[in-house]
Amino acid sequence: MQDTFRHQGLRKRLVRELKEAGIQNNTVLNAIEKIPRHFFIETTFEDDAYENRPFPIGRGQTISNPYTVAYQTELLEVQDGDKILEIGTGSGYQAAVLATLGATVYTIERHRPLYLKTKQLFEALNFTTIQPFYGDGFKGHPSAAPYDKIVITAAAPEIPKNLLLQLKINGILVLPLGEGEIQEMIKITRLDKNEFEKETFLNFTFVPMLKGIED
Ligand code: SAH
């Protein structure tokens, strides 16, 4: 895998587009400028890797478009050293962005082949602060809880209770909520043990968050 000057130039252009689309956080934009997104998608799509669009990654799943990744990351207000749980590893690109921002990332995928492939990629790219797991994200990952931040990268039919309970006080959960074609981006802040604040943001379209695992 090679990251050429051409790829780097295309990433600069992508970052300009994301800025124009309203992404303001410079550390998030810098991470996107740094990470070769073409490493996370099939080589057939390599030439278009820096277009603002999703791509198929197998098993009917997609890598989210860069605007969506930037938007969710911005809402998470990532701090260096944060412990973050991601539901929906997919290609691994979102996890790579979080790790590049200095977070320790636990990420869960319910499709075994995607989990295995992306785990290998993290190793090949030396992302040592990302720990991938095969499992059902509705359950979260209790053994490393509580988390500073949790992000769901698939459309959740409801706000998963287990995930709320795995947040630290002042922790943030970001998820696309809804069962239809279009979901609302939601940010939940855990104010206290039993007190949560909910804010609603723009509309997005994600693949569905599904229960159970697949071989
Ligand atoms: N963050 C990914 C987005 C992949 S699409 C990326 O950057 O590429 C969403 C992923 O969520 C899919 O791979 C899908 O299989 C996974 N998913 C859906 N429901 C899930 C669940 N309950 N637990 C874990 N992963 C889930």
Side-chain angles (χ1 to χ4, degrees):
M1 281 185 284
Q2 274 204 322
D3 188 33
T4 64
F5 284 124
R6 194 177 134 266
H7 291 124
Q8 291 162 30
L10 291 171
R11 282 209 291 285
K12 280 204 162 66
R13 193 187 67 184
L14 172 63
V15 164
R16 275 200 302 276
E17 278 175 33
L18 295 177
K19 256 190 191 161
E20 281 161 20
I23 302 298
Q24 293 174 344
N25 187 317
N26 279 321
T27 42
V28 174
L29 292 166
N30 287 342
I32 287 175
E33 184 161 341
K34 212 162 134 187
I35 302 170
R37 185 171 184 251
H38 64 283
F39 289 178
F40 295 83
I41 61 179
E42 303 286 340
T43 44
T44 7
F45 304 115
E46 185 178 332
D47 283 349
D48 298 323
Y50 299 102
E51 303 291 323
N52 185 36
R53 50 164 284 205
F55 294 97
I57 54 172
R59 288 297 184 111
Q61 307 305 318
T62 54
I63 174 173
S64 304
N65 71 53
Y67 175 72
T68 302
V69 172
Y71 195 91
Q72 287 199 290
T73 309
E74 203 166 56
L75 286 180
L76 284 172
E77 300 171 20
V78 182
Q79 308 287 320
D80 196 30
D82 269 357
K83 182 162 66 169
I84 304 186
L85 175 66
E86 179 196 26
I87 311 302
T89 313
S91 69
Y93 180 71
Q94 170 74 76
V97 170
L98 298 173
T100 301
L101 292 172
T104 301
V105 185
Y106 297 78
T107 180
I108 308 179
E109 173 55 54
R110 67 184 289 280
H111 279 283
R112 192 170 158 81
L114 293 180
Y115 155 75
L116 288 171
K117 187 173 175 202
T118 302
K119 180 179 152 75
Q120 270 187 359
L121 184 68
F122 290 145
E123 282 160 18
L125 298 177
N126 208 21
F127 278 107
T128 54
T129 56
I130 304 176
Q131 290 195 47
F133 296 91
Y134 171 48
D136 178 1
F138 276 101
K139 299 186 174 134
H141 186 67
S143 63
Y147 300 94
D148 295 291
K149 315 281 161 65
I150 302 178
V151 59
I152 307 180
T153 66
E158 81 253 337
I159 300 168
K161 263 237 175 61
N162 290 323
L163 298 186
L164 289 176
L165 298 177
Q166 289 174 30
L167 273 180
K168 287 186 189 172
I169 306 294
N170 294 319
I172 295 172
L173 165 65
V174 170
L175 73 153
L177 182 64
E179 284 188 284
E181 186 82 2
I182 289 169
Q183 303 93 42
E184 282 183 325
M185 194 64 78
I186 305 284
K187 174 180 168 184
I188 305 224
T189 308
R190 186 173 199 175
L191 301 176
D192 210 335
K193 192 164 187 291
N194 296 310
E195 202 183 338
F196 296 88
E197 176 190 56
K198 179 178 162 190
E199 296 166 87
T200 303
F201 295 87
L202 298 182
N203 289 338
F204 290 85
T205 299
F206 285 76
V207 296
M209 181 180 186
L210 300 171
K211 296 217 159 98
I213 51 174
E214 304 227 20
D215 249 347

